[in-house]
Amino acid sequence: MNEYIGIVIRNQNDKFLLCDGSFYIKTKLDSNRDIKNIIKTEIYNVLEKDIFKIRKIFEEKIIHIYEEITLYLVDVGVYTNDYDFMSIDKIVSEIINFDDKNFFNEYILKPEEYSNILSTTFTLLMLVITVNIFHLPQFIHNISSYTLSGFSLIFIYSIFNKYLKPKLIKYLSYFKFNVKIANYITSLLLVIYCIITLF
């Protein structure tokens, strides 16, 4: 089976480059060349840019007939409208190959949706906790307590983003958790909390 790499190019606005009906640039793997040099050459050929950062190497591979493709997600800064960058939800409909579209849905689109849901839910939870804590008598007009709590929230959120969220995304992806249900639950909990606080 021939080995290829697929270069998924994302710009600073979190939009993906559409390449001939696909979300990646496919190039044959050359054992005599460094992966970074291969990626650098391909990006320069398409965007005339040689500055990029590899953000992720996908463990899962795309399997076509006689082809095995390992995908590399790379970030580049592109500040012109000369290229066909599309948002993550719009590029799906432009992907021609069925296997490519399934891969994009399962390993790029869904994790991004799960990430947004988890971030929103955690932010709401932290907001609820903060509001309730700051109403305690010992916090009223106490600047040092406010400052300490602020730094604590930033630290907790950083730990959540770096360690806990990636594991939760894998868990949700494994069980194929329904995004619409998650959004509904989050909205419902927010409404319930607002009603409770009013009374």
Side-chain angles (χ1 to χ4, degrees):
M1 183 173 286
N2 296 319
E3 293 187 15
Y4 291 82
I5 63 170
I7 306 164
V8 184
I9 301 176
R10 182 176 62 185
N11 69 8
Q12 70 281 359
N13 298 318
D14 290 332
K15 293 185 176 182
F16 293 82
L17 182 65
L18 183 67
C19 314
D20 298 324
S22 181
F23 66 96
Y24 61 88
I25 301 170
K26 186 178 78 172
T27 184
K28 192 169 178 55
L29 187 61
D30 186 349
S31 58
N32 296 320
R33 293 180 63 196
D34 182 67
I35 291 290
K36 285 188 177 181
N37 287 332
I38 296 175
I39 293 174
K40 182 178 181 178
T41 301
E42 294 297 328
I43 291 176
Y44 190 84
N45 289 340
V46 176
L47 301 176
E48 296 185 354
K49 299 279 183 180
D50 56 7
I51 299 175
F52 64 93
K53 186 174 183 64
I54 298 175
R55 288 296 181 185
K56 182 177 182 179
I57 303 173
F58 289 86
E59 296 178 5
E60 303 81 8
K61 300 179 187 294
I62 295 180
I63 305 297
H64 292 162
I65 299 175
Y66 307 118
E67 293 180 354
E68 184 179 81
I69 307 169
T70 301
L71 293 186
Y72 289 74
L73 173 63
V74 300
D75 284 347
V76 297
V78 179
Y79 301 96
T80 67
N81 296 320
D82 299 333
Y83 305 102
D84 201 5
F85 282 94
M86 305 182 72
S87 61
I88 192 170
D89 56 325
K90 291 182 179 178
I91 196 172
V92 180
S93 60
E94 302 295 328
I95 299 172
I96 297 172
N97 184 277
F98 181 76
D99 292 329
D100 289 352
K101 183 175 291 191
N102 280 344
F103 187 97
F104 188 88
N105 273 316
E106 186 169 352
Y107 298 109
I108 298 179
L109 179 59
K110 286 294 182 185
E112 181 67 20
E113 290 176 336
Y114 293 144
S115 176
N116 291 336
I117 290 169
L118 289 170
S119 294
T120 302
T121 305
F122 188 77
T123 302
L124 289 173
L125 178 62
M126 296 302 293
L127 181 62
V128 169
I129 293 172
T130 302
V131 169
N132 283 281
I133 288 178
F134 282 2
H135 277 84
L136 295 175
Q138 59 266 36
F139 275 87
I140 298 175
H141 305 305
N142 190 332
I143 296 177
S144 61
S145 297
Y146 284 138
T147 304
L148 179 61
S149 298
F151 281 115
S152 298
L153 291 174
I154 293 172
F155 176 75
I156 292 170
Y157 194 80
S158 300
I159 295 297
F160 170 78
N161 266 337
K162 188 170 183 179
Y163 298 105
L164 185 57
K165 188 165 75 169
K167 292 181 179 180
L168 289 173
I169 289 173
K170 285 186 178 181
Y171 177 84
L172 293 174
S173 299
Y174 179 79
F175 288 102
K176 301 186 184 300
F177 193 71
N178 191 293
V179 176
K180 291 182 179 179
I181 292 176
N183 283 325
Y184 175 77
I185 293 172
T186 303
S187 301
L188 182 62
L189 290 174
L190 181 60
V191 170
I192 291 172
Y193 174 74
C194 292
I195 293 172
I196 292 173
T197 53
L198 287 174
F199 295 97

